[in-house]
Amino acid sequence: MKKVLLATEKPFSKEASDEIVKIGKNAGLDVVLLEKYSSKDELLNAVSDVNAMIIRSDVADREVIECGKNLEIIVRAGAGYDNIDLKVATEKNIIAMNTPGQNSNAVAELAFGMMVMVARGNYDGKTGTELREKNLGLHAYGNVGKYMAKIAKGFGMNVFAFDPFLKDEQIEVDGITPVHSVEELYEKCQYISLHIPANEKTKKSINYSLISSMPANAVLVNTARKEVIDEEGLLKVMAERKDVKYVSDIIPDNFNLFEENFKGRFFFTPKKMGAQTEEANVNAGVAAINQIIDFFEKGDIKYKVN
Ligand code: 3PG
């Protein structure tokens, strides 16, 4: 019997993990849970005898992967797979997958909710602003970007998107205006929402020059990854321009500097919670176990990322 580990330092809802176990059992798999673990040793111990592993932002680095002597597949229940060392997985003939699109609506709702909150001055009782007729720039137009666009259009925003991997028609079909350079997007849009992955190309790419080119009362929304921000550049812009605000689903490395210098101009969730809804937990978790079943039963590698 193949053994599947669900390793989630930040656990799924009980409904989601129960469903994963049930689906796995029905397919003849032994699903074991390691939730809310507090040390890497617990993960190393749990991975040592399993054939498959489902993770969230849990780090699958060389040590973890090498410890999983029987590992055949790792599924990141979510979109970003920068937490998996793909090189090592490939070296060891282990398939790595993600579950694209399954938690995108949850992330978009959080990003948009933070925009509303900022526009209303963090609900401080004073006069705020509206989002209607403001420009929103979507930096990448993937699954989350598409949900953002739908919500923003409902609010009457002017929506622009930059995505070098898409043709204009693929953006225009949703009634969104494509722009052809990242510079143009930032210059045009008071609100920018980031939906890019963290990789060698994007790390620190949201820098001083881009952020400082944004129009008056700029708001940068980051539900992507903290690594894509050049924090030094962002802090410099915020020091120079009192109208710039930053809201993020990821606590930055320089949290103390934001706290000391820019009170009221930033908001960070206490723990990454974009995908933390019951619906997204079920969607991503069920997709992950089904992908594992399809892999073991049919050799299906549709969502392979390595
Ligand atoms: C993702 O890449 O899918 C999101 O960042 C969600 O990550 P999480 O599952 O760790 O909340």
Side-chain angles (χ1 to χ4, degrees):
M1 186 188 258
K2 301 264 190 199
K3 194 167 174 184
V4 182
L5 171 68
L6 172 64
T8 48
E9 181 275 320
K10 183 175 62 184
F12 280 141
S13 64
K14 186 167 177 335
E15 190 198 355
S17 43
D18 284 353
E19 194 62 19
I20 293 166
V21 172
K22 194 176 101 195
I23 294 173
K25 272 202 178 129
N26 287 343
L29 300 172
D30 176 19
V31 183
V32 292
L33 309 189
L34 175 69
E35 294 180 312
K36 242 182 170 166
Y37 58 93
S38 50
S39 74
K40 190 174 181 185
D41 282 346
E42 289 174 73
L43 178 60
L44 293 174
N45 189 40
V47 77
S48 62
D49 65 342
V50 301
N51 307 95
M53 175 165 74
I54 300 173
I55 53 174
R56 297 186 65 180
S57 289
D58 309 77
V59 177
D61 59 11
R62 177 175 286 279
E63 197 182 3
V64 171
I65 295 173
E66 284 184 345
C67 199
K69 295 264 176 282
N70 302 332
L71 262 185
E72 297 169 60
I73 176 167
I74 302 171
V75 180
R76 194 286 190 235
Y81 43 86
D82 47 304
N83 51 326
I84 305 177
D85 191 326
L86 295 182
K87 204 171 142 257
V88 179
T90 306
E91 239 175 60
K92 304 273 164 202
N93 276 326
I94 296 167
I95 304 284
M97 292 186 185
N98 66 349
T99 64
Q102 300 294 342
N103 58 21
S104 309
N105 181 63
V107 177
E109 286 191 12
L110 183 89
F112 209 86
M114 291 198 295
M115 280 170 50
V116 174
M117 184 181 71
V118 175
R120 291 305 178 98
N122 294 354
Y123 310 119
D124 63 357
K126 298 186 188 138
T127 299
T129 54
E130 298 181 23
L131 295 174
R132 192 176 145 79
E133 286 177 5
K134 303 296 189 313
N135 288 359
L136 168 64
L138 301 172
H139 191 161
Y141 196 62
N143 292 312
V144 183
K146 287 195 173 108
Y147 280 114
M148 281 296 282
K150 274 193 197 146
I151 304 171
K153 281 177 69 188
F155 270 68
M157 297 187 85
N158 310 314
V159 189
F160 301 85
F162 170 71
D163 195 318
F165 300 103
L166 296 181
K167 296 196 180 90
D168 281 3
E169 307 88 88
Q170 293 171 286
I171 295 174
E172 282 163 352
V173 71
D174 296 333
I176 306 306
T177 309
V179 300
H180 302 108
S181 75
V182 72
E183 288 79 14
E184 191 189 344
L185 189 79
Y186 282 67
E187 277 163 26
K188 232 184 200 22
C189 298
Q190 179 188 345
Y191 289 85
I192 292 280
S193 190
L194 302 174
H195 303 294
I196 51 177
N199 56 39
E200 284 323 305
K201 275 204 176 135
T202 61
K203 277 180 190 162
K204 289 191 191 274
S205 64
I206 313 306
N207 54 23
Y208 177 83
S209 130
L210 281 181
I211 305 164
S212 63
S213 74
M214 289 175 71
N217 302 315
V219 178
L220 180 63
V221 183
N222 183 10
T223 52
R225 291 289 183 269
K226 78 172 176 193
E227 289 82 0
V228 303
I229 303 281
D230 172 5
E231 282 186 24
E232 221 176 282
L234 170 62
L235 288 162
K236 189 164 177 241
V237 181
M238 289 182 76
E240 287 172 7
R241 280 180 51 182
K242 290 204 168 18
D243 62 314
V244 175
K245 297 195 174 83
Y246 178 54
V247 288
S248 174
D249 189 24
I250 313 106
I251 297 181
D253 290 335
N254 293 290
F255 175 74
N256 290 343
L257 292 179
F258 284 92
E259 187 81 346
E260 277 162 31
N261 301 301
F262 306 121
K263 274 240 154 69
R265 293 172 51 203
F266 65 86
F267 173 78
F268 307 127
T269 52
K271 189 158 195 159
K272 187 155 73 116
M273 55 181 291
Q276 199 61 325
T277 65
E278 289 172 10
E279 294 86 345
N281 285 179
V282 171
N283 292 345
V286 166
I289 189 72
N290 280 329
Q291 286 173 212
I292 289 172
I293 294 167
D294 286 348
F295 171 70
F296 284 142
E297 291 183 355
K298 300 182 256 177
D300 188 340
I301 50 166
K302 182 168 172 205
Y303 296 103
K304 181 174 182 273
V305 293
N306 63 333

